[in-house]
Amino acid sequence: MPSYYPAALVKRADESLIRALAPGVPMRRAAFGLAQVVLRELRDHAGGAVGQKVWLVVGVGDNGADALWAGAFLKRRGVDVRALLLNPRRAHPAGLAAFRRAGGKFVDDVPDAPAPFGGGPGRGVVVDGVVGLSGKGPLRGHAAEIFSRPSGHRVVAVDLPSGVDPDTGAVAGPAVTADVTVAMGVFKQAHALNPGRCGRLELVDIGYPEAGFGPLGVLDGARGLTALGQERLAALLPAPGPGDDKYTQGVLGVVAGSPTYPGAGALCASGALATTSGMVRAVGPGAKALVAVHPELVVSEDVESTGRVNAWVLGPGADESTRALLLRALATDLPVVADASALRLVPDAIKRRSAPTVVTPHEREFEAFAGRPVGADRAAAAAALATECGATVLLKGHVTIIAEPGGQVLVNIAGNSWAATAGSGDVLSGMIGALLASAAAEHAAPVAAAIHSRAAALAAGAEPGAPITASALAARIPDAIRSARASGLARRTPSVRAAGRTGDGNAIGSYP
């Protein structure tokens, strides 16, 4: 599973790596990998590399040094490379010397491109080597001015887009928006938390052991952020076996919808029904009306007469008329997904539970439930609430954070915002509940989030896509599951492109 590490741990790992290898080797590997990515951008977007323009915006740290060394490599490949030194007196001496020996030129500014990229002279690549892991706060001065204007060039960031907080992904002012970010050695948390600023991610192997970080003793077992890889996601999706029936695949009870919000129950049920092949029981005074929409539902008036249930979903579209039902379901020892109105109507009962519980707030619901705003560090906020409540916290957003009570934090990077539509959260709650009632209970929240965002993309259609409804999203859940299974199978097939090694012993791989 892809992991994203905090800056402090990466710095310690880098220090260990520098001590373990010959002087300058990690930096030259990073620079060579960066140069390969820039060359690929030139080939893909300008038709070739020879004679094409690359501007290096160089700060005073290691990222600036990586840019200068990469500029030397690019110059030897026939690229017209020019460097803008933001602080010439503090530029990295060895990198500066290598760039000069290669014949690189120095400039005072990055000119705007006169025509669409690849369509005329002057188009090129701008390399962001301003600040790295130690950088905090927005860009300032000339760097802020350069990256705040729409130049028309492709932007390649070294390790992190400058001005983006490496741990939280937060932006507090001028910052780089990259088309490609070249991550050195490992992914950092900002790569997951602010993918819109990072663009496509390219990972360069600078010498960390391929089988983890044990020999370095720094990142081995370290806590960071984790995302479900395609192969892992496919393996976690439940499928009926020869001995299964509707009961063995999980029975979900749903208390959702009300006279005020009748559609929420239908959407929640649609998410549950499409996610697994078990059974869904709708409970409450409005449950019978849902059968007209979903004849597969089994309905009952109250919790006591519901029958066999393996998990509950509580809250989508609930109001005061369903408060008593919510409290009775919360009083059971069954797993519960508490969403939407449940977080507002019965917060204390949710927080008191000792049985497995998943809460699914968006940022406004989080503030009301937790009594404090989310703040800039969304991952830390979700983790703190998970510890306080002893519950899994799924904090909704373009990047969904799933914090477990034991400390693990997962992220789902949607890659799109089509799910930002009324009722899509009700669908997600039903999906989590269905998985919570099944054999996939341990990973219900991250698996549901991954399939939910994939279904939204399928519903929106091919790029550039079109607006969708929550009903359209729910209808594409089976397609999303099929797609996830197929992608996981493809990932198990070795791919030369995914781990292409250069003659320098460097490895470059893309991660979507």
Side-chain angles (χ1 to χ4, degrees), residues 236-238 276 432 434-445 447:
L236 290 172
L237 287 164
T276 65
I432 298 170
L435 292 168
L436 200 61
S438 76
E442 185 179 353
H443 306 283
V447 170

Side-chain angles (χ1 to χ4, degrees), residues 149-193:
R149 67 192 186 214
S151 71
H153 303 300
R154 298 283 291 180
V155 176
V156 176
V158 182
D159 208 23
L160 287 164
S162 296
V164 177
D165 187 281
D167 288 332
T168 69
V171 171
V176 171
T177 299
D179 296 291
V180 186
T181 294
V182 184
M184 302 304 178
V186 292
F187 294 119
K188 287 73 181 178
Q189 291 189 168
H191 295 147
L193 297 174

Side-chain angles (χ1 to χ4, degrees), residues 63-113:
N63 281 22
D66 291 343
L68 287 167
W69 277 105
F73 286 126
L74 292 167
K75 185 65 180 174
R76 295 188 186 104
R77 294 292 297 270
V79 180
D80 182 1
V81 189
R82 306 173 183 221
L84 189 161
L85 304 180
L86 295 171
N87 191 334
R89 293 182 179 180
R90 296 179 59 197
H92 191 274
L96 195 57
F99 185 70
R100 283 188 170 127
R101 286 195 303 270
K105 301 176 182 178
F106 297 91
V107 293
D108 295 324
D109 200 5
V110 177
D112 294 343

